[in-house]
């Protein structure tokens, strides 16, 4: 839930680039890359896929919260 709330809060303040870039990078790096590594290379199967999704959600939550706490979103003109 924190990812959706933080993402929509940043979008509402006019900071659209950060959620877009974060979602794209995390989709490819965390979901695709880590899913392959955990599920295929390490042989963890479905548990590896779930772990990759957990890492993806944690990464996005961390980036969104750091962006919100930094206050740089306040400098963006709507």
């Amino acid at each position: 839930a924190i990812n959706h709330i933080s993402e929509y809060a940043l979008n509402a303040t006019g900071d659209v680039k950060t959620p877009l870039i974060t979602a794209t990078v995390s989709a490819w790096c965390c979901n695709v890359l880590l899913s392959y590594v955990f599920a295929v290379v390490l042989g963890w199967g479905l548990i590896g896929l779930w772990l990759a999704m957990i890492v993806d959600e944690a990464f996005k939550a961390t980036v969104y919260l750091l962006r919100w706490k930094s206050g740089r979103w306040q400098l963006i003109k709507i």
Side-chain angles (χ1 to χ4, degrees):
I2 189 136
N3 287 344
H4 293 293
I5 293 169
S6 300
E7 182 178 357
Y8 293 136
L10 287 171
N11 283 336
T13 61
D15 189 5
V16 180
K17 283 176 130 177
T18 301
L20 175 71
I21 293 170
T22 303
T24 305
V25 168
S26 71
W28 282 101
C29 293
C30 292
N31 279 339
V32 175
L33 181 64
L34 289 180
S35 293
Y36 177 76
V37 170
F38 292 158
V40 178
V41 175
L42 297 177
W44 293 349
L46 187 58
I47 294 173
L49 294 175
W50 289 341
L51 185 61
M53 289 192 311
I54 291 169
V55 170
D56 173 52
E57 293 297 320
F59 172 74
K60 287 193 292 189
T62 303
V63 171
Y64 293 153
L65 287 176
L66 288 174
R67 180 67 173 189
W68 188 262
K69 294 237 180 219
S70 74
R72 290 184 58 195
W73 53 271
Q74 294 174 341
L75 302 175
I76 297 173
K77 305 277 189 231
I78 298 179

